[in-house]
Amino acid sequence: MIKTLLKSVREYKKASLLTPFFMMLEVLLETILPLVMAMLIDRLGSGSMGPVLRYGSILVVMAMLSLLCGAMSGRFGATASCGFAKNLRQDLFFQIQKFSFQDIDHFSTSSLVTRMTTDVTNVQNAYQMIIRIAVRTPLMIIFSIVMSCSINVRMAMIFIVLLPLVAGAIIGISKIVMPIFKRIFKRYDRMNSSVQENVSGIRVVKSFVREKHEIERFKATSADVCSDFTHVERILGLLEPIMMFGIYMAMLLVSWLGARLIINTVGSELTAGQLSSLITYGVQILSAVMMLGMIFVMTTMAQESAERIVEVLNFESTLTSPENGAAVVPDGSIDFDHVSFKYQAKAKQNALTDIDLHIPSGSTVGIIGGTGSSKTSLIQLIPRLYDVTEGAVRVGGRDVREYDLETLRDAVAVVLQKNVLFSGTISENIRWGKKDATDEEVRHVCELAQADEFVQQFPDKYETVITQGGTNVSGGQKQRLCIARALLKHPKILILDDSTSAVDTKTDAMIRKAFREEIPDTTKIIIAQRTSSVQDADLILVMEGGKIAEQGTHEELMKQGGIYSEIYSSQNKASNS
């Protein structure tokens, strides 16, 4: 896990090494200061200001150097930790971009968001603490004990005896809170999922007046997180009193035994200045142990976050490009060779079963079927958003698994029913299909998709800003803009997954006419609920239960008098009435 995380340090290695170096110098100076202070105290009775000025000057210089080293350590530590977090988020984001739909289903969107935000922040804080405080505390303990022993070994034994007792209490508390933190992060995922679902579906929530239900639901999830954190804080709250008890006990013992030693030996074994130094070292040692407790808490919390991050970074996607994959898709022909597919390997039932189909390049295929008939599952196999379980899907005469993924997907344009527009202008959204497209090309594809008319009505026309998710355009307008974006790719295969459901039949017919006239060589697959959207297709597929129940032209299917004929008759009867 650590090895994987350290790969994200990269250009911040220098800052990560300079941070503990300056911290080490700061600790060294801080542990020498009490010795110089002891010398100053012991010479106060000499009646001369010379030693006071000499040792005072040394103390000032050492304090300034310690301050400088601490500031440099803090500066490099901030640079290293923030840079590390930046790289870690980038690595996570780049890794997620490689994920297939199945991989994203495996983690869930809300969990991936939590890992890129809360988990990375936890690891960032722990990293800064490790390269600074985790270096400072052991060095402070070691140097202070060594300095204490150099003054008086018997007195130093007080610290050596108390140290493992306090450290043991810290480790015990850390082990108790570790499993609670694991539970907290799982609940964080559920809370983020609830927020994401509510915000994305806020219009539905308001239209059904379900705000109170959603509030209660969120309050319950939030209360679970609060309850766990409260439990953890109560346990961690024991750390400070334990630490303070250890410090005060050490001070009392050192003061009492030190005073007796000074009186009994008349200062021959221990001077007042040395006793003052021992008290300072005691505070330094036990304060360092207290900081060690904070490190244990932070790293305990960060460990679970780090494991979740590494799980994503080390996850091997189910879909990868083959080495030296085919870089050219010759045409838009599609073949399904006895294809069966299931979303999960452990699933008992196939989503698609024994699909055997040949689609010539440039033809138009219509697909209809009821909800759950696996229409979308079928088309998702073409751009290799999922891989087949059995059989093979071929595009341009070659198995899709032999293509470079970018090449294959660049040749296939998919317009979903719930497609997404991103924040930015209309022209920027359209240029997702071709980033260097001219204004004329953008307008032409919008004309084909019947979008230019309403775009021209906006005050800023193609420079109109689309809000996040495209909430400032209607469903039909969004679909037409998404179709225009797909057309700009000039794909070998164009797939419309019920993406004209929000437009009227006249506009739908005009879009299909534009397809026939402008992109005759592109293979067009149209999934629709209306038979009018597919009846002029070269081939119509009727899906039922993950299988092709019927196939043929409109006339052939009408003669069969099967499912298609029934759907056509019911829709036309409804429209005529």
Side-chain angles (χ1 to χ4, degrees):
M1 180 182 71
I2 294 172
K3 187 177 179 181
T4 301
L5 290 174
L6 288 179
K7 291 177 182 178
S8 297
V9 176
R10 294 196 288 276
E11 69 269 30
Y12 298 97
K13 285 180 182 177
K14 181 179 178 181
S16 297
L17 293 173
L18 286 173
T19 300
F21 172 74
F22 281 108
M23 183 57 68
M24 182 179 65
L25 292 178
E26 183 190 20
V27 171
L28 185 61
L29 289 166
E30 284 185 11
T31 50
I32 294 174
L33 276 168
L35 283 180
V36 180
M37 181 66 74
M39 296 176 188
L40 174 61
I41 292 171
D42 290 337
R43 283 160 179 76
L44 287 176
S46 64
S48 171
M49 285 297 294
V52 174
L53 293 173
R54 184 169 64 254
Y55 287 113
S57 299
I58 293 172
L59 284 171
V60 170
V61 171
M62 290 180 67
M64 294 298 291
L65 288 173
S66 176
L67 177 64
L68 177 62
C69 290
M72 294 299 291
S73 177
R75 179 184 176 185
F76 285 118
T79 301
S81 61
C82 292
F84 169 63
K86 179 202 72 174
N87 287 346
L88 197 55
R89 285 194 183 94
Q90 287 180 354
D91 293 343
L92 278 169
F93 187 78
F94 296 160
Q95 175 74 349
I96 292 169
Q97 297 306 301
K98 301 175 186 175
F99 281 1
S100 66
F101 284 11
Q102 188 173 346
D103 300 333
I104 294 172
D105 294 342
H106 171 77
F107 286 103
S108 85
T109 304
S110 59
S111 179
L112 290 172
V113 170
T114 303
R115 292 171 203 237
M116 289 188 64
T117 51
T118 304
D119 288 337
V120 170
T121 300
N122 288 338
V123 172
Q124 174 188 347
N125 293 336
Y127 184 69
Q128 184 173 29
M129 187 166 280
I130 286 168
I131 60 177
R132 294 191 71 229
I133 310 303
V135 171
R136 177 186 176 84
T137 50
L139 287 176
M140 180 64 77
I141 291 169
I142 293 169
F143 288 173
S144 296
I145 288 176
V146 169
M147 294 297 184
S148 299
C149 289
S150 70
I151 294 172
N152 190 289
V153 175
R154 282 189 296 171
M155 296 294 291
M157 288 301 296
I158 296 172
F159 308 134
I160 295 172
V161 171
L162 281 174
L163 191 61
L165 295 177
V166 176
I170 293 170
I171 294 170
I173 289 173
S174 299
K175 286 186 176 180
I176 293 171
V177 299
M178 170 98 59
I180 303 175
F181 277 126
K182 289 186 176 182
R183 187 168 68 239
I184 285 172
F185 285 113
K186 289 180 180 177
R187 288 184 171 171
Y188 254 133
D189 287 345
R190 287 200 292 271
M191 186 170 70
N192 282 347
S193 177
S194 175
V195 172
Q196 183 184 27
E197 187 177 53
N198 180 272
V199 173
S200 61
I202 192 67
R203 287 169 175 75
V204 178
V205 172
K206 289 187 176 296
S207 64
F208 281 88
V209 198
R210 297 284 285 176
E211 291 93 340
K212 288 184 180 179
H213 169 76
E214 289 297 312
I215 289 170
E216 291 301 320
R217 189 173 149 212
F218 179 79
K219 282 171 65 176
T221 309
S222 182
D224 288 339
V225 175
C226 178
S227 175
D228 280 340
F229 261 121
T230 303
H231 184 38
V232 168
E233 292 295 337
R234 284 173 180 168
I235 297 171
L236 295 178
L238 297 173
L239 278 176
E240 186 173 352
I242 290 172
M243 295 296 101
M244 297 309 298
F245 176 78
I247 289 174
Y248 290 136
M249 282 296 297
M251 295 307 97
L252 285 171
L253 287 170
V254 168
S255 299
W256 180 58
L257 294 175
R260 286 190 59 186
L261 192 60
I262 291 171
I263 294 169
N264 292 338
T265 63
V266 197
S268 61
E269 286 192 29
L270 189 70
T271 66
Q274 289 174 332
L275 176 59
S276 173
S277 296
L278 283 172
I279 292 173
T280 304
Y281 286 131
V283 172
Q284 286 180 342
I285 291 169
L286 293 169
S287 296
V289 175
M290 184 183 291
M291 293 302 296
L292 194 62
M294 290 178 60
I295 293 169
F296 266 108
V297 172
M298 184 64 73
T299 52
T300 297
M301 185 167 65
Q303 182 180 344
E304 177 62 19
S305 291
E307 288 175 355
R308 285 157 52 86
I309 289 169
V310 169
E311 184 185 6
V312 175
L313 292 175
N314 289 340
F315 187 81
E316 294 186 8
S317 177
T318 53
L319 291 176
T320 55
S321 283
E323 288 188 21
N324 303 316
V328 177
V329 179
D331 58 53
S333 62
I334 305 168
D335 292 284
F336 284 80
D337 186 3
H338 297 284
V339 168
S340 293
F341 167 70
K342 58 177 69 173
Y343 283 98
Q344 299 291 337
K346 296 179 181 179
K348 295 181 180 178
Q349 189 173 354
N350 287 333
L352 294 167
T353 303
D354 196 30
I355 303 296
D356 198 54
L357 178 67
H358 173 66
I359 302 173
S361 181
S363 60
T364 300
V365 177
I367 304 177
I368 65 171
T371 303
S373 59
S374 297
K375 302 184 296 296
T376 300
S377 300
L378 181 73
I379 60 99
Q380 285 178 336
L381 299 178
I382 298 170
R384 207 184 165 204
L385 299 176
Y386 291 94
D387 267 341
V388 300
T389 306
E390 297 176 17
V393 176
R394 297 184 179 87
V395 170
R398 186 188 289 267
D399 193 318
V400 292
R401 289 167 290 194
E402 297 176 7
Y403 283 108
D404 174 75
L405 266 178
E406 187 174 338
T407 298
L408 174 65
R409 290 175 181 171
D410 201 41
V412 181
V414 183
V415 185
L416 303 172
Q417 180 183 11
K418 295 181 180 179
N419 225 312
V420 177
L421 293 175
F422 297 88
S423 301
T425 65
I426 290 176
S427 61
E428 288 171 347
N429 269 276
I430 302 299
R431 284 191 174 94
W432 271 61
K434 183 183 176 184
K435 61 182 180 181
D436 58 348
T438 64
D439 292 343
E440 185 58 37
E441 287 178 302
V442 170
R443 181 168 182 175
H444 179 62
V445 293
C446 284
E447 288 172 348
L448 296 179
Q450 306 304 309
D452 181 67
E453 183 179 353
F454 73 80
V455 171
Q456 294 295 342
Q457 294 175 4
F458 292 134
D460 297 324
K461 297 181 172 53
Y462 284 91
E463 295 309 308
T464 300
V465 175
I466 298 291
T467 57
Q468 187 176 17
T471 54
N472 59 334
V473 292
S474 69
Q477 290 172 338
K478 186 189 296 185
Q479 285 186 340
R480 281 176 276 174
L481 289 173
C482 290
I483 292 171
R485 182 172 63 188
L487 287 172
L488 195 59
K489 285 181 70 174
H490 300 294
K492 295 283 198 314
I493 300 169
L494 175 64
I495 299 172
L496 305 182
D497 187 0
D498 207 9
S499 51
T500 56
S501 58
V503 302
D504 58 83
T505 53
K506 180 182 177 182
T507 303
D508 185 13
M510 292 173 70
I511 291 172
R512 285 185 282 111
K513 180 184 177 184
F515 289 168
R516 286 194 303 271
E517 295 175 353
E518 295 288 335
I519 51 171
D521 297 329
T522 296
T523 303
K524 298 162 283 289
I525 300 177
I526 302 171
I527 296 176
Q529 298 296 331
R530 299 183 298 225
T531 55
S532 60
S533 298
V534 300
Q535 68 182 61
D536 58 349
D538 301 312
L539 177 67
I540 300 172
L541 306 177
V542 181
M543 299 290 298
E544 187 177 44
K547 298 180 180 180
I548 298 176
E550 298 176 5
Q551 61 177 303
T553 62
H554 171 74
E555 291 75 15
E556 291 169 347
L557 293 175
M558 288 300 292
K559 287 178 181 178
Q560 291 179 17
I563 299 171
Y564 178 83
S565 177
E566 291 178 9
I567 295 172
Y568 179 82
S569 299
S570 63
Q571 288 183 0
N572 278 275
K573 187 182 294 183
S575 62
N576 290 332
S577 62

